[in-house]
Amino acid sequence: MDKKLKLFLIKAVIVLGLIHLAYFSYGYFNFEGIHKINIYTEFYRFKFYDEVSISHVFISGLFLFLFLVILLRNHSKRAYNVSNISKIGVSLLLISFLSLTFFISYSLGLNVKMRQELPEKDFNKDKTLLNVLNPFLYNYTSYSSDKLFNPENILYPKPYPVIAEKDSIFYDPGDKDNFSIETTYYSIDTLKILSSAHKEMSSKLMAGMDVLALDSKELEKRIISQKVIGDSTEIIFKGIEVQPDYDDKMCIFLENKTLYSPIHNVPDSIQQYQNAVTRYKLLYTYDQDSLLHSFQRLDVLLKKYDIESHIVPKDFSHDVFYYRNNKQEPLNGLRNTFDRTKLKEKFMILERLFYKPNYLHPSIQMIFITAVVAVWVMLFFLFLIWNYRSKRKEK
């Protein structure tokens, strides 16, 4: 490829890079803040009617026109072999793409500004706080849900978690319609032994069963699962009987393990357990000011994300401890009113903007690809025609 043509193409790419930098800066300084993010927020999509789109069309058109004029006037008269023509074609494709993607740089500027205002580390701290406090944030009607709040969701302390076993109790053997359901809870325990020892029911296994006051047949009934790991066998089984309803250090707020907003790239099970430990300590280990401080942080978080709230941390903390100490009383008086829908939507949108940014909206993908290909074909075709005419004139 001719040195002059090569230098011209490099200069064109540099000019395009400067324009991209200008659009990036415009997007960076144009970000309105996380408090403005709502369900309709997305990174910039080409809209054809706002200042970004209008300026994009004008600048792209002007650049391509000047680029084409200079290309045809100064660099289309030399004879190029097939290899050089191919290199020129690839260069023109790159320039076509760069000249039509200023809006993507604008989106990148928005993203960088958003991450500067809300670093991922701070975002994860906010999610951790919401995950820990999640069982306190439901509407009062949700606390009657057996799916959300049940002893099988308790993860800490030992002997939890537990598994439920339901039996039908018939009062009259002749009357099958007269019965009740009795639920018994057992701890979920794990026993690891050598596979050879397991097959032979060795003394080690029997010793483990003696500790649990189980015989071999009872153990077989209680086995939940077993799998071979290397030369060992891991047996998960129902252990001792547990009575959560009569546990003095157990309340409804511990019977929920749902994550409000999972932290990215951390297994849900690990998050659930860590949150359960923190929640238990806030309710039963630390002094009451610790939970009050957590609710004060929650109040700050709601203001940060521009969520309407009527939460008074001191009253909220008082209510939680009241229902912790009065487990048999129906839970219908937590003063935890805030815009739950808006907060949920905001975290869903932020999750998408952080981890699934869509810089090229589906509604314009085909239009964009068509435009890039059309511009490239036009530039390359005109260059080939001018080059062919120039060679004919020389002959």
Side-chain angles (χ1 to χ4, degrees):
M1 192 188 300
D2 179 44
K3 284 187 178 180
K4 288 185 178 180
L5 176 56
K6 188 181 292 186
L7 183 61
F8 169 67
L9 293 173
I10 292 173
K11 287 180 178 179
V13 171
I14 291 173
V15 170
L16 287 170
L18 292 173
I19 298 173
H20 274 278
L21 180 60
Y23 272 91
F24 175 89
S25 301
Y26 185 49
Y28 180 87
F29 292 108
N30 212 33
F31 181 70
E32 295 181 331
I34 58 173
H35 63 283
K36 290 282 189 178
I37 289 175
N38 57 49
I39 193 172
Y40 302 106
T41 300
E42 59 192 355
F43 286 128
Y44 186 77
R45 56 184 293 186
F46 209 87
K47 305 182 183 76
F48 298 101
Y49 57 79
D50 64 353
E51 72 279 3
V52 176
S53 298
I54 293 171
S55 65
H56 196 316
V57 171
F58 176 76
I59 293 173
S60 295
L62 180 62
F63 172 84
L64 289 170
F65 175 74
L66 294 175
F67 173 81
L68 182 61
V69 169
I70 297 172
L71 176 68
L72 298 182
R73 234 178 124 178
N74 301 336
H75 304 284
S76 64
K77 297 176 182 178
R78 291 181 61 88
Y80 299 103
N81 57 31
V82 175
S83 175
N84 285 332
I85 289 292
S86 300
K87 292 178 181 177
I88 292 169
V90 172
S91 301
L92 293 179
L93 179 60
L94 174 63
I95 287 170
S96 300
F97 177 79
L98 292 176
S99 65
L100 298 178
T101 51
F102 302 142
F103 68 96
I104 293 180
S105 291
Y106 178 82
S107 291
L108 286 170
L110 292 172
N111 191 346
V112 169
K113 181 63 175 179
M114 182 196 75
R115 287 173 178 268
Q116 190 178 68
E117 183 176 329
L118 181 66
E120 185 177 16
K121 184 178 180 181
D122 292 347
F123 186 42
N124 286 338
K125 282 183 180 178
D126 291 341
K127 289 199 282 190
T128 298
L129 178 64
L130 287 172
N131 287 336
V132 170
L133 299 182
N134 187 43
F136 308 117
L137 303 179
Y138 286 94
N139 187 305
Y140 75 94
T141 57
S142 299
Y143 289 97
S144 59
S145 168
D146 291 334
K147 291 183 179 179
L148 286 174
F149 295 91
N150 66 72
E152 289 185 278
N153 286 330
I154 303 173
L155 303 178
Y156 179 88
K158 288 290 184 182
Y160 301 95
V162 297
I163 187 171
E165 185 177 90
K166 295 186 178 182
D167 292 319
S168 299
I169 306 298
F170 294 94
Y171 300 107
D172 182 356
D175 185 4
K176 296 298 183 181
D177 295 327
N178 187 18
F179 69 95
S180 64
I181 303 295
E182 184 180 89
T183 303
T184 306
Y185 297 99
Y186 296 96
S187 63
I188 301 173
D189 295 312
T190 302
L191 186 64
K192 287 185 179 179
I193 58 171
L194 291 173
S195 297
S196 57
H198 172 241
K199 291 176 182 177
E200 298 171 5
M201 297 300 286
S202 69
S203 58
K204 289 184 180 180
L205 178 58
M206 295 304 296
M209 292 187 295
D210 290 341
V211 171
L212 297 167
L214 299 174
D215 58 31
S216 58
K217 292 183 179 179
E218 182 68 17
L219 177 63
E220 290 295 330
K221 291 179 182 178
R222 292 197 180 187
I223 288 177
I224 299 172
S225 66
Q226 59 184 33
K227 61 180 178 180
V228 176
I229 304 174
D231 60 352
S232 300
T233 298
E234 180 184 80
I235 304 174
I236 299 176
F237 62 97
K238 293 179 285 187
I240 63 172
E241 186 175 336
V242 182
Q243 296 181 319
D245 293 337
Y246 301 99
D247 192 331
D248 291 336
K249 288 197 172 183
M250 202 54 55
C251 64
I252 191 171
F253 302 116
L254 300 175
E255 296 181 0
N256 180 289
K257 62 181 180 181
T258 307
L259 296 173
Y260 188 89
S261 180
I263 294 174
H264 197 59
N265 285 337
V266 178
D268 285 0
S269 58
I270 292 176
Q271 295 182 60
Q272 288 171 334
Y273 182 78
Q274 291 173 340
N275 295 331
V277 172
T278 303
R279 197 178 302 126
Y280 179 86
K281 290 179 178 179
L282 287 171
L283 285 167
Y284 290 103
T285 305
Y286 301 148
D287 59 52
Q288 296 192 6
D289 286 343
S290 297
L291 184 60
L292 174 60
H293 177 64
S294 295
F295 288 146
Q296 289 170 340
R297 288 174 56 204
L298 173 67
D299 191 44
V300 172
L301 182 150
L302 295 175
K303 291 174 181 175
K304 172 181 174 181
Y305 291 101
D306 193 31
I307 306 299
E308 183 180 355
S309 170
H310 300 287
I311 288 176
V312 178
K314 191 173 182 180
D315 295 341
F316 193 7
S317 178
H318 175 271
D319 292 342
V320 168
F321 282 110
Y322 175 80
Y323 285 105
R324 183 203 71 173
N325 298 328
N326 297 272
K327 294 186 292 185
Q328 304 306 318
E329 188 166 332
L331 200 162
N332 59 7
L334 278 182
R335 286 170 281 186
N336 62 353
T337 305
F338 66 97
D339 193 338
R340 294 179 176 84
T341 302
K342 186 177 179 181
L343 181 64
K344 196 68 179 178
E345 288 176 350
K346 183 151 290 193
F347 268 75
M348 288 173 60
I349 295 300
L350 284 168
E351 189 78 12
R352 179 167 60 80
L353 295 179
F354 261 94
Y355 304 113
K356 296 180 181 179
N358 188 4
Y359 299 119
L360 189 60
H361 197 273
S363 65
I364 66 165
Q365 284 179 3
M366 286 307 299
I367 297 174
F368 171 76
I369 294 171
T370 302
V372 171
V373 172
V375 169
W376 173 66
V377 169
M378 180 194 71
L379 293 176
F380 197 32
F381 184 67
L382 288 175
F383 176 80
L384 291 176
I385 290 176
W386 251 253
N387 184 250
Y388 176 74
R389 288 178 61 188
S390 297
K391 286 193 290 184
R392 285 197 64 182
K393 283 182 180 180
E394 286 181 5
K395 288 181 180 179

